[in-house]
């Protein structure tokens, strides 16, 4: 069990950062945080996004690549949306919600994969 916990530091860091976002967001900017989690709640019912996130976490052995790829895609999409070049219908809170859903489900799937390989 100790080996699993040592190997999954990044998974717990991702999940802890989501919790930190909740706590700090509720205090600093509650309207934005509420909007993000309403969007995230609706995104969970979008099964394709959830399946992609679980697949990323379960089948890519190096979870750091998943996190780096998700953050890179988020930054690029945010810049493109901010500049109005593409995706004019997307908002920043929706992009943050997608990031939270994908990283959260990928981290949990990766934790489960590590647990299965550890037994």
């Amino acid at each position: 069990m100790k080996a699993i916990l040592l190997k999954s530091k990044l998974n717990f860091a991702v999940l802890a950062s989501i919790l930190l976002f909740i706590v700090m967001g509720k205090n600093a900017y509650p309207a934005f945080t509420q909007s993000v989690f309403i969007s995230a709640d609706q995104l969970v019912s979008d099964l394709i996004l959830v399946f992609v996130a679980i697949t990323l976490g379960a089948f890519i052995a190096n979870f750091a690549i998943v996190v780096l790829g998700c953050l890179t895609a988020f930054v690029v999409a945010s810049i493109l949306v901010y500049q109005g070049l593409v995706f004019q219908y997307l908002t920043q809170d929706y992009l943050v919600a997608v990031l939270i859903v994908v990283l959260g489900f990928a981290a949990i799937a990766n934790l489960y994969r590590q647990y299965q390989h550890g037994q």
Side-chain angles (χ1 to χ4, degrees):
M1 189 65 161
K2 184 179 179 182
I4 294 171
L5 291 175
L6 290 175
K7 285 179 20 181
S8 55
K9 290 180 197 174
L10 184 58
N11 295 312
F12 289 119
V14 166
L15 296 172
S17 67
I18 293 171
L19 287 175
L20 185 65
F21 174 77
I22 294 169
V23 171
M24 292 184 68
K26 285 291 184 182
N27 293 328
Y29 193 29
F32 178 75
T33 307
Q34 184 71 19
S35 175
V36 165
F37 282 100
I38 287 172
S39 296
D41 184 42
Q42 294 168 351
L43 283 171
V44 171
S45 66
D46 185 11
L47 292 180
I48 292 174
L49 182 64
V50 173
F51 286 151
V52 167
I54 290 172
T55 302
L56 286 173
F59 294 113
I60 297 180
N62 190 352
F63 188 64
I65 292 173
V66 174
V67 172
L68 184 63
C70 289
L71 291 174
T72 303
F74 170 75
V75 169
V76 169
S78 294
I79 291 170
L80 292 175
V81 167
Y82 179 75
Q83 291 181 347
L85 299 175
V86 294
F87 310 126
Q88 285 87 11
Y89 55 90
L90 291 178
T91 60
Q92 193 65 32
D93 57 338
Y94 189 78
L95 291 174
V96 173
V98 170
L99 181 69
I100 287 173
V101 169
V102 170
L103 284 179
F105 277 101
I108 292 169
N110 191 268
L111 278 171
Y112 182 73
R113 184 184 64 80
Q114 289 179 5
Y115 173 74
Q116 288 297 319
H117 287 282
Q119 287 188 348

